[in-house]
């Protein structure tokens, strides 16, 4: 866990988890955060993954300890953040015929869409199963689950050294944004200009755009485009800025009406790290009716549900700055004919 970037382990204690909790507490690189209820622990882990972008970990004992994790694990899976849940199980010799906390936890979580969700059958299987679970969580940005019997936890560790590709996520993300793609996008955007300035372009920011607020605002000002954002990206830009129009979606009140109006009249969506673009692109029948240019930090984040005119891969802040730099050399300067309205006025 430590070699994969985990710094905090959230969870509740219990008899089927004692060896694991002891190992966490004894590790100087981990902070054990014990909660009164495992539901809180799972939500903390999901929030940790969202706020840091790193792998988060939650642990719970068998039976009700594990079942209490459900809401937080589903939140992590639906919001596509990397979380690994580790639950304890009763000793292998007592499983499936005695009633005390004999819950099939792996099937429970798998039924909710947590994949992989599996039991560890023996100490020798722990390393490869843990390796594969961590890999899946980090590359697919999802929640995974391992259930480890307490006697497996207490057995001598078969892991002698680091065994997983701990820095694989760094290799997934490109070191720079493809300049040819940015050139193509920059040439495409001025073609959307009309006699009154840009046609209606809207910039939508999601969780993976967090940290790129300055660059997003700069691009929005150049395009005179309103900025809306999903709930998980609230605060990505200064919400007092005249181009910031609030959260879109069911949690968007009181900005829902303005954000919804902007979407319904838009003619192009710049989607910056948004996980689900349905509200931005589709009609009430769920069919795409608006074109999109998507920006994602790496190819693993690209979802092919909707057609994109262009897909820009790389650091979203760098991509926005690169696009703004190119547009600055192509668009009329202040006061020249054909310039859209003053900054702060959506085109």
């Amino acid at each position: 866990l430590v070699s994969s970037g985990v710094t905090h382990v959230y969870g509740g204690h219990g008899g089927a988890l004692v060896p694991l909790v002891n190992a966490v507490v004894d590790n100087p690189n981990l902070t054990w955060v014990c909660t009164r209820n495992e539901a809180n622990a799972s939500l903390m882990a999901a929030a940790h993954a969202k706020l840091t972008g790193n792998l988060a970990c939650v642990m719970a004992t068998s039976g009700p300890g594990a079942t209490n994790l459900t809401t937080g694990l589903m939140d992590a899976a639906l919001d596509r953040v990397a979380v690994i849940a580790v639950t304890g199980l009763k000793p292998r010799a007592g499983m499936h015929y005695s009633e005390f906390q004999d819950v099939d936890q792996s099937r429970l979580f798998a039924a909710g869409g947590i994949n992989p969700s599996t039991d560890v059958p023996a100490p020798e299987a722990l390393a490869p199963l843990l390796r594969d679970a961590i890999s899946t969580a980090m590359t697919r940005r999802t929640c995974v689950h391992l259930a480890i019997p307490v006697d497996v936890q207490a057995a001598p560790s078969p892991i002698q050294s680091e065994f997983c590709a701990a820095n694989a996520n760094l290799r997934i993300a490109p070191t720079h944004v493809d300049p040819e793609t940015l050139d193509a996008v920059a040439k495409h955007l001025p073609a959307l200009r009309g006699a009154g300035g840009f046609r209606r372009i809207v910039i939508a920011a999601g969780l993976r755009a967090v940290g790129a607020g300055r660059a997003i605002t700069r691009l929005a000002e150049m395009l005179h485009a309103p900025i809306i954002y999903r709930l998980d990206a609230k605060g990505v830009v200064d919400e007092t800025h005249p181009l910031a129009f609030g959260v879109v979606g069911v949690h968007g009140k009181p900005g829902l009406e303005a954000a919804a109006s902007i979407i319904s009249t838009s003619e192009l969506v710049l989607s910056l790290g948004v996980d689900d673009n349905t509200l931005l692109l589709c009609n009430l029948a769920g069919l795409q009716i608006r074109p999109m240019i998507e920006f994602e930090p790496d190819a693993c984040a690209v979802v092919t549900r909707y057609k994109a005119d262009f897909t820009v891969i790389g650091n979203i802040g760098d991509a926005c700055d690169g696009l703004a730099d190119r547009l600055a050399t192509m668009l009329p300067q202040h006061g020249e004919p054909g310039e859209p309205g003053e900054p702060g006025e959506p085109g």
Side-chain angles (χ1 to χ4, degrees):
L1 293 174
V2 171
S3 67
S4 301
V6 173
T7 58
H8 293 69
V9 178
Y10 304 90
H13 217 318
L17 201 65
V18 170
L20 269 177
V21 173
N22 287 345
V24 169
V25 173
D26 289 342
N27 192 307
N29 296 308
L30 292 174
T31 299
W32 169 244
V33 182
C34 187
T35 63
R36 288 189 174 186
N37 187 287
E38 293 83 1
N40 296 334
S42 64
L43 291 168
M44 289 178 182
H48 182 110
K50 294 174 188 179
L51 294 172
T52 66
N54 298 327
L55 177 68
C57 180
V58 61
M59 293 184 178
T61 191
S62 56
T67 60
N68 283 341
L69 295 177
T70 305
T71 298
L73 301 192
M74 293 304 301
D75 178 67
L78 291 173
D79 281 354
R80 294 185 66 201
V81 292
V83 172
I84 180 167
V86 180
T87 58
L89 283 174
K90 61 196 310 179
R92 288 171 290 174
M95 292 174 61
H96 306 313
Y97 68 87
S98 57
E99 80 285 356
F100 181 70
Q101 296 190 354
D102 201 6
V103 176
D104 193 341
Q105 298 157 191
S106 294
R107 289 183 64 189
L108 171 69
F109 295 135
I114 306 300
N115 182 32
S117 175
T118 188
D119 295 350
V120 177
E124 295 76 17
L126 175 59
L129 287 175
L130 181 60
R131 174 202 63 206
D132 292 353
I134 290 173
S135 172
T136 299
M138 296 179 70
T139 56
R140 287 173 44 196
R141 289 186 174 89
T142 190
C143 180
V144 299
H145 165 250
L146 289 181
I148 309 177
V150 66
D151 56 319
V152 172
Q153 299 173 34
S157 173
I159 304 172
Q160 302 301 321
S161 61
E162 292 186 6
F163 65 95
C164 63
N167 296 319
N169 58 320
L170 300 179
R171 299 200 302 270
I172 294 170
T175 57
H176 65 280
V177 181
D178 179 33
E180 293 185 1
T181 302
L182 287 180
D183 290 343
V185 174
K187 292 177 182 177
H188 177 72
L189 290 179
L192 299 175
R193 290 169 61 87
F198 281 105
R199 294 164 67 187
R200 289 190 174 272
I201 300 174
V202 60
I203 295 177
L207 175 62
R208 292 183 292 277
V210 171
R214 180 202 56 78
I216 293 172
T217 303
R218 178 189 175 208
L219 179 62
E221 291 174 342
M222 185 161 291
L223 295 172
H224 306 280
I227 307 168
I228 56 178
Y229 25 89
R230 299 308 303 265
L231 179 64
D232 54 13
K234 182 175 172 61
V236 63
V237 297
D238 179 1
E239 295 185 273
T240 65
H241 192 284
L243 287 175
F245 278 76
V247 173
V248 63
V250 67
H251 298 100
K253 299 177 181 179
L256 178 60
E257 184 175 350
S261 175
I262 287 171
I263 293 172
S264 64
T265 58
S266 65
E267 297 172 280
L268 174 67
V269 175
L270 302 187
S271 173
L272 311 180
V274 177
D275 189 56
D276 186 351
N277 286 291
T278 302
L279 287 174
L280 305 171
L281 304 178
C282 296
N283 59 16
L284 294 179
L287 301 177
Q288 182 175 358
I289 59 173
R290 300 179 190 88
M292 168 181 68
I293 298 175
E294 63 182 342
F295 296 71
E296 289 291 357
D298 57 63
C300 290
V302 176
V303 178
T304 57
R305 293 176 66 195
Y306 302 115
K307 178 183 177 182
D309 292 344
F310 300 93
T311 299
V312 182
I313 303 296
N315 181 280
I316 291 178
D318 293 344
C320 289
D321 274 333
L323 183 57
D325 290 341
R326 287 163 170 78
L327 290 173
T329 66
M330 301 171 64
L331 300 179
Q333 300 301 309
H334 184 76
E336 293 183 9
E339 184 191 6
E342 293 298 316
E345 299 177 7

